Amino acid sequence: MKKQENNTSRRDFVKTAAVAAAAFTIVPRHVLGGPGFIAPSDKLLIAGVGVGGKGQSDLTGFARNPKAEVAFLCDVDDRRAAASVKNFPKAKYYRDWREMFDKEHRNFDAVSVSTPDHNHAIITLAAIQKKKHVYVQKPLTHDIYEARVLTEAAKKYKVVTQMGNQGSSSDGSRKLTEWYNAGIIGDVHTVYCWTDRPVWPQGIPWPTTKAEVPKELDWNLWLGTAPYTEYVNKLIPFNWRGWWDYGTGGIGDMGCHLVDAPFRTLGLTYPTEVECSVGSVYVDEFKRGYFPESCPPSSHVIMTFNPEKQKNTPIRLHWMDGGIQPERPAELGADERFGDGGNGVLFVGTKGKMLCDTYGRNARLLPLSRMDDVDVPETLARVPEQEAGHYTQWVDAAIAGYGKMELSSDFAVAGPLTESLLIGNLALRAFDLRVPNGNSFRYPGRYKKLLWDSPNMKVTNFDEANQFVKRKYRDGWELNV
């Protein structure tokens, strides 16, 4: 009998111990770690590709969220990467993103891409195909085709995405939408977006002076998808924006910041028509310079949209860069600033006008006295900390999982926005096409309106322009679609 009692006691002890152990293991890790503790399983491990300049500030923006950890760094230029290497000493450093993806893809959850435009798509698509969440600097891609590919891939692989146009998280852009939805300015028929960009050289010949590649730079990796060329000075870290092989000009740099507000406010998707005029550089008397490798010094692009919100009122969106601005509206006082000076957006409706600065900031009705008479309730959720919250929003959404949280600029929005802007660039490049004509040349893409077939991504009335929908990649650097 005593032996049976001992066995019963032993069984009771084991059972009690097991229950206690089970109870212990289900205590949340943040409770065990104390206030403010974030369990490793609740952190988003981020790999940064392109970690200098804007890439550095992006990583800093993510790191403000205690749920984010910068785990890996990758850059082709050790000089540019130095600050991020110092700021994130625990992060392992690579030069080649392909090597980092191959070796470390099981050790990170998300990728931040902040390289020059021409390498955005190849890196981003590879990350998506590994089911990594992605944050990509604006513009989303270099080419129209790439924007469509990334938009579809994000949906197919169910990853959380965000483009780095932080103004899409501003209160101003939401206020504009609320005013418009309330009918304050009626149907919008015209939008003007303007910028003082480029603030780098454009409309110039390719440099001919030979230069030595800095020892800290892997030039071949920097070129990536672009055609091979010898290294030249002053192309990096910034002036690449003015060359078509790498950048997307003023519209690529600032378009996603300025056109975003009318895009979301008016429910725009893809244009149906595009036309342009281009600033000239004369190299001699009556001799216009011809530099097709370089983006133009200034341009005016007009795109026509037929949005669902206004089925009977087409919208003509004017893009102006190189310091060109539209006429000041009569409702704006003589001493009142037009936009923020160098940049701005003006909405012209059947019942009034509204204006904002870069990132949708400082939204206001014109004349400013109208602001005293309008009281429209907030119907759209605001992003905490606005532009700074753009980074935190993506981190939180990636941890929550695909489809669980709304983002300001996921690829479903950023893809069509980028694609539309790049259709503007297609028109600019078509403008510069030339063919021999006796002892001179003719320019068949000038002074015409291009008709755009969005479902098939093609110009229907000038086939030569379609070469700019998708570029030819350098051997070994093709998109793996």
Side-chain angles (χ1 to χ4, degrees), residues 190-193 251 274-279 296-303 316-322 324-326 424 427-428 431:
T190 307
V191 177
Y192 295 97
C193 303
I251 199 169
V274 60
E275 56 189 288
C276 72
S277 57
V278 174
S298 60
S299 67
H300 180 190
V301 176
I302 307 171
M303 291 178 277
R316 285 169 65 81
L317 189 147
H318 296 252
W319 169 265
M320 300 174 172
D321 59 32
I324 300 173
Q325 295 190 1
L428 296 179
F431 189 93

Side-chain angles (χ1 to χ4, degrees), residues 295-370:
C295 308
S298 60
S299 67
H300 180 190
V301 176
I302 307 171
M303 291 178 277
T304 301
F305 295 85
N306 295 291
E308 284 294 317
K309 284 187 176 183
Q310 293 185 177
K311 292 184 178 180
N312 298 320
T313 307
I315 295 173
R316 285 169 65 81
L317 189 147
H318 296 252
W319 169 265
M320 300 174 172
D321 59 32
I324 300 173
Q325 295 190 1
E327 179 183 6
R328 286 174 63 88
E331 298 89 342
L332 192 66
D335 296 321
E336 292 169 355
R337 179 166 289 195
F338 193 21
D340 56 28
N343 311 278
V345 181
L346 174 67
F347 297 75
V348 183
T350 54
K351 296 180 181 179
K353 298 172 184 175
M354 56 189 187
L355 179 67
C356 70
D357 302 347
T358 310
Y359 305 145
R361 292 173 180 161
N362 194 21
R364 58 239 194 237
L365 296 165
L366 298 180
L368 296 181
S369 58
R370 275 195 93 182

Side-chain angles (χ1 to χ4, degrees), residues 199-332:
V199 291
W200 52 85
Q202 286 191 185
I204 59 174
W206 182 256
T208 56
T209 304
K210 292 184 178 180
E212 186 176 344
V213 180
K215 66 180 184 302
E216 300 91 347
L217 171 70
D218 189 315
W219 176 237
N220 183 60
L221 288 179
W222 188 93
L223 286 173
T225 63
Y228 185 82
T229 189
E230 294 298 324
Y231 176 81
V232 294
N233 280 326
K234 295 186 177 180
L235 180 68
I236 58 174
F238 192 67
N239 291 345
W240 54 265
R241 293 185 177 279
W243 301 99
W244 288 124
D245 277 347
Y246 322 111
T248 47
I251 199 169
D253 181 52
M254 289 300 292
C256 292
H257 290 317
L258 293 165
V259 181
D260 174 77
F263 231 77
R264 70 178 59 249
T265 295
L266 304 174
L268 305 182
T269 51
Y270 303 104
T272 57
E273 303 170 355
V274 60
E275 56 189 288
C276 72
S277 57
V278 174
S280 304
V281 175
Y282 279 79
V283 296
D284 205 344
E285 296 175 1
F286 296 99
K287 186 177 180 182
R288 183 174 183 166
Y290 182 66
F291 311 118
E293 303 93 348
S294 180
C295 308
S298 60
S299 67
H300 180 190
V301 176
I302 307 171
M303 291 178 277
T304 301
F305 295 85
N306 295 291
E308 284 294 317
K309 284 187 176 183
Q310 293 185 177
K311 292 184 178 180
N312 298 320
T313 307
I315 295 173
R316 285 169 65 81
L317 189 147
H318 296 252
W319 169 265
M320 300 174 172
D321 59 32
I324 300 173
Q325 295 190 1
E327 179 183 6
R328 286 174 63 88
E331 298 89 342
L332 192 66

